[in-house]
Amino acid sequence: MSLMAGKRGVIFGLANDKSIAWGIAQQLKEAGAELAFTFLNEALEKRVRPLAESLGSKIILPCDVVNEDQLAAVFAELEKQWGKIDFVVHAVAFANREDLKKPFSQTSREGFQLALDISAYSLVSMTRYAAPIMNDGGSIVTMTYLGSVRSVPQYNVMGVAKAALEASVRYLAAELGERGIRVNAISAGPIKTLAASGIANFKEKLSIAEERSPLKRLVTQDEVGKSTLYLLSDLSTAVTGEIHYVDGGFSNNAG
Ligand code: NAD
Ligand code: 0WE
């Protein structure tokens, strides 16, 4: 049984083989999906292209999600090559490094806008371009983190951006439900990726999550990939507007 046989979609947010997007891509490919990828810039293209090609992908395009023209061009190309698509994976986030260090009240207007633009609004714009070329039964999944609903030390403006992202998931789900298009988020526990490597004391955060989670271990990119596969497949046809926790139970445990 191939869960994703005959399904096609695009993955935003692959940087390298440690990316959550890579765990997702491998699971989707193994389940029979056909994949397109985007990369942020030329430096990342060097890493993304070989990974994408190793999964048989032929559509590999540049996209800075704050660039409306590039976003439009990605979906225009997908329509040209494929006609329709079945899924979108949004695994993109960014805030200024200083804004994840300073006290939260020191966040500048520019820093706040940048974090929300890249990490939250991009799901809205992506959905606007994707929906017209999506088959009924299409599915969109984004990546979030517990800092949206709890004040996690240092997560700061990213927590506010993830709260906006999660609310956007619910509004998009409500809007697109009548077309049979579903929108969900996965809230992953901490994973050592490129985005995490810029965070001070990240090792300590990992060991706290490890100790406090009922599973007594961290979650993997692969496990986030398997839950994403479920949300993008026809196993979850009545699941929409949800925040699905893949954090080893950490969020449900007082510690
Ligand atoms: P990653 O660094 O591998 O991926 C982040 C991606 O965002 C990169 O590919 C980067 O190129 C992309 N990106 C940044 N700014 C962009 C822009 N302007 N336009 C297009 N792409 C841009 O790190 P990751 O941990 O795999 O992050 C993927 C997602 O998972 C993010 O949304 C992150 O918040 C979320 N997440 C991560 C963790 C964790 O602990 N690593 C936990 C929960 C959720
Ligand atoms: O979403 C994230 C990280 C997102 C992120 C990371 C960086 C580092 C480098 C966004 N922007 C930047 N900008 C940079 O310049 N995570 C869920 C991982 C993460 O980050 C934390 C965490 C966890 C978990 C920050 C503080 C506390 C916990």
Side-chain angles (χ1 to χ4, degrees):
M1 180 190 66
S2 284
L3 270 182
M4 299 299 283
K7 291 192 193 286
R8 292 162 158 166
V10 57
I11 299 180
F12 293 82
L14 182 60
N16 60 33
D17 66 355
K18 301 290 183 291
S19 292
I20 290 174
W22 183 237
I24 294 169
Q26 290 174 292
Q27 289 297 328
L28 293 174
K29 178 65 187 178
E30 206 178 311
E34 197 174 342
L35 304 173
F37 291 87
T38 67
F39 54 87
L40 174 57
N41 53 36
E42 279 176 26
L44 286 173
E45 180 178 8
K46 289 192 186 67
R47 299 199 178 275
V48 171
R49 197 168 281 282
L51 288 171
E53 285 171 352
S54 78
L55 298 185
S57 294
K58 299 204 169 55
I59 309 178
I60 305 161
L61 302 165
C63 187
D64 182 329
V65 295
V66 304
N67 185 327
E68 202 75 14
D69 296 341
Q70 280 188 354
L71 211 44
V74 167
F75 287 95
E77 187 63 20
L78 293 176
E79 184 176 25
K80 194 174 144 200
Q81 303 256 347
W82 286 345
K84 294 280 178 182
I85 64 172
D86 301 288
F87 61 87
V88 175
V89 174
H90 175 281
V92 169
F94 187 80
N96 287 325
R97 189 180 295 248
E98 311 83 73
D99 288 335
L100 305 177
K101 283 187 192 150
K102 289 185 291 193
F104 177 60
S105 65
Q106 303 297 316
T107 308
S108 66
R109 175 168 282 118
E110 293 72 28
F112 190 99
Q113 287 177 173
L114 180 77
L116 270 90
D117 195 6
I118 297 178
S119 314
Y121 180 73
S122 60
L123 179 72
V124 180
S125 49
M126 223 174 257
T127 300
R128 185 168 60 252
Y129 291 110
I133 63 163
M134 266 195 148
N135 286 315
D136 286 359
S139 178
I140 299 172
V141 171
T142 185
M143 297 297 133
T144 188
Y145 175 64
L146 184 65
S148 61
V149 289
R150 309 243 186 105
S151 60
V152 172
Q154 310 299 320
Y155 200 60
N156 297 3
V157 71
M158 272 308 306
V160 177
K162 292 301 194 189
L165 180 72
E166 291 176 18
S168 300
V169 163
R170 291 184 283 272
Y171 281 95
L172 293 168
E175 177 187 338
L176 298 172
E178 64 185 6
R179 285 205 41 213
I181 296 173
R182 300 180 293 108
V183 187
N184 292 285
I186 287 186
S187 187
I191 300 179
K192 204 163 177 260
T193 62
L194 186 63
S197 72
I199 307 297
N201 303 319
F202 195 73
K203 273 198 181 140
E204 192 196 338
K205 296 177 198 309
L206 289 175
S207 73
I208 292 170
E210 204 167 17
E211 276 171 34
R212 290 193 194 167
S213 75
L215 294 176
K216 290 284 171 278
R217 64 171 179 82
L218 298 171
V219 300
T220 64
Q221 289 89 335
D222 210 52
E223 289 173 319
V224 175
K226 287 189 285 181
S227 280
T228 305
L229 170 60
Y230 160 74
L231 289 172
L232 294 180
S233 78
D234 294 342
L235 287 179
S236 60
T237 47
V239 180
T240 193
E242 288 230 42
I243 314 301
H244 175 92
Y245 281 80
V246 179
D247 66 356
F250 180 81
S251 60
N252 199 31
N253 187 351

